[in-house]
Amino acid sequence: MKSNIASLLAAALTLIVLPAFAAKELKSGEFTMVKNQVEHSSGSSKSMAKTKDQLEEKSVVDTGAASLTELGFDDSSVLRLGSNTQFSFQSKERIIKLDKGSMLMNVPPGNGGITVDGGGVTGAVSGTTVMASRDDEGNFSFMILEGEGTGKVMGKDGVAVDLIPGQMAIVRQDGKPTKVVEVNIDAMRDYSPLYTDFSARLPGTD
């Protein structure tokens, strides 16, 4: 029941935020960079990820300690996952499910944007670069690093807040009101492992 409610909230938030054009599906992803221990599983089958491995919808990716990975999707979106992260995705709905850990994603304009689901808390935005995290206690953060569009973050209480590039929403598990703060984007690009530990530049970085 909770999963169904979260999906409905994510779909509703996407309709609120994104412009009225046909969204492209994410379809499948390809591992373009793998560092240390990264696993992907589908059902009971689990494998260590390697560069050029394909990732299908609803498959689960787990990164270990001091581990990182990057995925490129068929719509030209690029997703990076930090250490101790677990994620999966729904292609048609363009939902990234972040069960724990951290992620950085660039979504080209015109593709239909993206919604990040952090355990029933959702952040949605059109074409842009976003970073999100979910800690061990379930606290969720969602920030917009670049782009011209605005985003929305919706808590489990159904209350949505607006975001613009350079802002981060923090949704606490204890039910306190969502907090919106300014972020230092230059510092994020200079010091976050999701930028610094990858040799290739993320689209949208400039």
Side-chain angles (χ1 to χ4, degrees):
M1 176 65 74
K2 289 183 179 180
S3 176
N4 290 337
I5 293 174
S7 295
L8 288 171
L9 285 173
L13 187 55
T14 303
L15 290 173
I16 293 171
V17 174
L18 303 180
F21 48 71
K24 297 180 181 178
E25 293 188 25
L26 291 170
K27 295 185 179 178
S28 63
E30 179 180 279
F31 288 93
T32 55
M33 182 272 201
V34 176
K35 179 180 178 181
N36 297 332
Q37 184 176 345
V38 179
E39 296 180 339
H40 62 100
S41 59
S42 179
S44 59
S45 175
K46 182 178 292 188
S47 305
M48 298 300 296
K50 303 184 297 296
T51 302
K52 295 187 178 180
D53 278 356
Q54 297 295 307
L55 185 74
E56 301 302 325
E57 181 179 21
K58 296 184 180 178
S59 297
V60 178
V61 175
D62 285 281
T63 63
S67 301
L68 301 164
T69 192
E70 180 182 85
L71 290 135
F73 289 89
D74 287 357
D75 73 337
S76 299
S77 294
V78 177
L79 172 68
R80 291 177 177 178
L81 302 176
S83 60
N84 300 310
T85 295
Q86 183 178 85
F87 114 102
S88 59
F89 73 95
Q90 294 174 218
S91 175
K92 186 175 181 180
E93 297 85 355
R94 300 184 61 82
I95 295 175
I96 300 295
K97 297 182 68 66
L98 184 66
D99 293 325
K100 64 176 182 177
S102 58
M103 57 160 282
L104 171 67
M105 190 169 188
N106 176 264
V107 182
N111 283 5
I114 203 73
T115 298
V116 179
D117 180 352
V121 179
T122 56
V125 70
S126 55
T128 187
T129 302
V130 298
M131 186 180 288
S133 67
R134 189 179 186 216
D135 65 20
D136 292 338
E137 297 178 353
N139 301 311
F140 178 75
S141 67
F142 183 85
M143 68 187 80
I144 304 176
L145 298 179
E146 63 86 25
E148 297 181 356
T150 60
K152 287 185 181 292
V153 173
M154 183 180 291
K156 293 182 179 179
D157 57 3
V159 176
V161 298
D162 295 322
L163 287 183
I164 61 173
Q167 291 184 331
M168 172 174 66
I170 303 170
V171 186
R172 294 177 55 86
Q173 185 67 19
D174 59 15
K176 290 183 179 179
T178 299
K179 185 178 182 180
V180 176
V181 299
E182 304 296 317
V183 296
N184 186 326
I185 297 175
D186 289 335
M188 196 69 64
R189 291 169 175 165
D190 289 342
Y191 298 107
S192 170
L194 291 172
Y195 279 105
T196 62
D197 288 4
F198 293 79
S199 58
R201 291 177 68 81
L202 184 77
T205 299
D206 294 336

